Amino acid sequence: MRMDATRPAPPETAPEDPILLTDPIIIPSLEDCALLLDVDGTLLELAPTPSEVVVPPDLRTAMDSLLQRTGGALALVSGRSIRDLDMIFAPAKFPAVGGHGAEMRLTPGGSVTSSKIQPIDPDLKRRFAKIAELDPGILLEDKGYSLALHFRQAPQAEQAIYDAVSTIRAELSEAPLEVLPGKSVCEIKPSGFNKASGVRELMQFSPFKGRVPVFLGDDVTDETVFAIMPDLQGHAFSVGRLAKGVTGHFKDPSHVRAWLTQLLGREEIIAL
């Protein structure tokens, strides 16, 4: 990324050139944008288990400042529940789209509204949960609206997990279910909602309405949001890889955090 004399230099501890752009662009000031941020693999490094992620103190400080600069138009967009996000970022309670679009909070610390989509049938959920018995390293996470089978500590079980999920799905071909492959995780959720549907809904309400959405994500589940950014006249950035249709990409979460800190010292988000 070309730097000019009007931009403040990044902090000495920040990675150089945190963002790689596909084309020269201009994104408006923070006051005109809505910052939409995935969490795991985007803001934070992945951990052996979901509960072991670490939020650097300077990230909380930067997000608090960005929330003020955007007039409240900063939201976390995650497969995690909003309750889980609040535990991770405590004491902050940021606006959020949680549960892959199943729930939403529009204001910091405000009320959480849930989708009318029915959760997975309890008996069916138990069938999927038993897959965790294939290997002691598989971690089962019940997110309410979805069920996640983490195999970061049992990579040898990946194929067996997906085979078992496919067997259940074949027996219930009419069931409204969706399988989400992720980074060392297989997630099962009801169909009919995703991160993209959650973001579309979020952008209909103040303070997000009428702003330019800027979304950052890393995983397959974030690709639905990448795809709708042109419809919303927004921009998408991928993390860890150059995904199809994005405006640019970041090497890893540390580069994302450095960029967020740099935003606080700029008139525009990006101007090349």
Side-chain angles (χ1 to χ4, degrees), residues 40-62:
D40 296 279
T42 297
L43 286 177
L44 307 178
E45 284 79 8
L46 298 174
T49 66
S51 63
E52 294 180 75
V53 295
V54 176
V55 180
D58 56 347
L59 175 61
R60 287 190 180 90
T61 301

Side-chain angles (χ1 to χ4, degrees), residues 223-255:
E223 292 178 359
T224 61
V225 187
F226 296 161
I228 67 168
M229 282 298 105
D231 297 341
L232 300 175
Q233 287 75 55
H235 296 275
F237 298 88
S238 56
V239 182
R241 62 194 175 100
L242 178 59
K244 181 180 179 181
V246 297
T247 301
H249 70 286
F250 296 84
K251 180 181 179 181
D252 56 38
S254 68
H255 287 71

Side-chain angles (χ1 to χ4, degrees), residues 39 76 78 80-90 96-97:
V39 177
L76 303 174
S78 178
R80 292 181 184 260
S81 68
I82 292 179
R83 179 180 180 182
D84 197 13
L85 293 172
D86 288 347
M87 292 176 62
I88 293 170
F89 288 94
V97 172

Side-chain angles (χ1 to χ4, degrees), residues 175-265:
L177 294 173
E178 184 178 0
V179 178
L180 305 176
K183 294 178 178 177
S184 298
V185 63
C186 174
E187 194 162 353
I188 305 99
K189 75 171 190 65
S191 57
F193 65 92
N194 54 29
K195 287 185 178 181
S197 64
V199 166
R200 281 191 185 276
E201 184 175 357
L202 179 78
M203 293 302 299
Q204 295 177 18
F205 297 98
S206 178
F208 301 90
K209 185 176 182 179
R211 290 173 176 260
V212 176
V214 178
F215 174 71
L216 278 64
D218 73 303
D219 214 339
V220 174
T221 59
D222 298 311
E223 292 178 359
T224 61
V225 187
F226 296 161
I228 67 168
M229 282 298 105
D231 297 341
L232 300 175
Q233 287 75 55
H235 296 275
F237 298 88
S238 56
V239 182
R241 62 194 175 100
L242 178 59
K244 181 180 179 181
V246 297
T247 301
H249 70 286
F250 296 84
K251 180 181 179 181
D252 56 38
S254 68
H255 287 71
V256 171
R257 295 193 297 269
W259 184 69
L260 292 176
T261 299
Q262 290 177 11
L263 294 187
L264 295 169

